[in-house]
């Protein structure tokens, strides 16, 4: 798979998770990446190799952090400042 196709798969994963649960990031756990990789392997089994799986993981983690920060970055910053 190309990097662009993997990025599209990452977006598809998060869109699917958020369509099922709008508060997905409210209760995400550290094991989410294993669920994401399993989703990717099941959906694109015939098209991926170990390199694609690694790229998916890397891109998914970066995208999760971006989406989380967009949703909760201001709130988390306020909580951090108020705790000082």
């Amino acid at each position: 798979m190309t990097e662009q196709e993997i990025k599209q798969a990452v977006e598809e994963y998060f869109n699917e998770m958020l369509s099922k649960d709008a508060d997905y990031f409210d209760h995400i756990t550290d094991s989410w990446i294993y669920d994401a990789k399993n989703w990717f392997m099941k959906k694109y089994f015939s098209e991926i190799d170990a390199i694609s799986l690694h790229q998916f993981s890397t891109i998914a983690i970066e995208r999760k952090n971006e989406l989380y920060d967009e949703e909760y970055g201001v709130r988390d910053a306020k909580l951090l400042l108020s705790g000082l």
Side-chain angles (χ1 to χ4, degrees), residues 5-77:
E5 290 171 325
I6 294 169
K7 286 180 179 181
Q8 289 173 343
V10 167
E11 289 301 317
E12 183 180 350
Y13 173 77
F14 284 114
N15 288 338
E16 186 175 313
M17 294 303 108
L18 290 166
S19 72
K20 290 179 182 178
D21 179 3
D23 296 324
Y24 175 71
F25 291 111
D26 270 346
H27 48 267
I28 196 170
T29 64
D30 289 341
S31 66
W32 76 269
I33 191 62
Y34 300 108
D35 297 335
K37 289 193 300 188
N38 284 334
W39 174 91
F40 182 65
M41 288 187 293
K42 286 179 184 176
K43 187 152 182 97
Y44 296 99
F45 178 76
S46 63
E47 302 173 44
I48 63 169
D49 56 15
I51 293 170
S52 296
L53 184 59
H54 177 72
Q55 285 179 317
F56 177 86
S57 297
T58 301
I59 293 167
I61 290 168
E62 290 171 1
R63 185 64 178 139
K64 190 274 283 177
N65 291 338
E66 290 170 0
L67 291 168
Y68 181 90
D69 287 346
E70 287 172 13
E71 185 70 26
Y72 299 107
V74 172
R75 179 202 68 185
D76 289 356

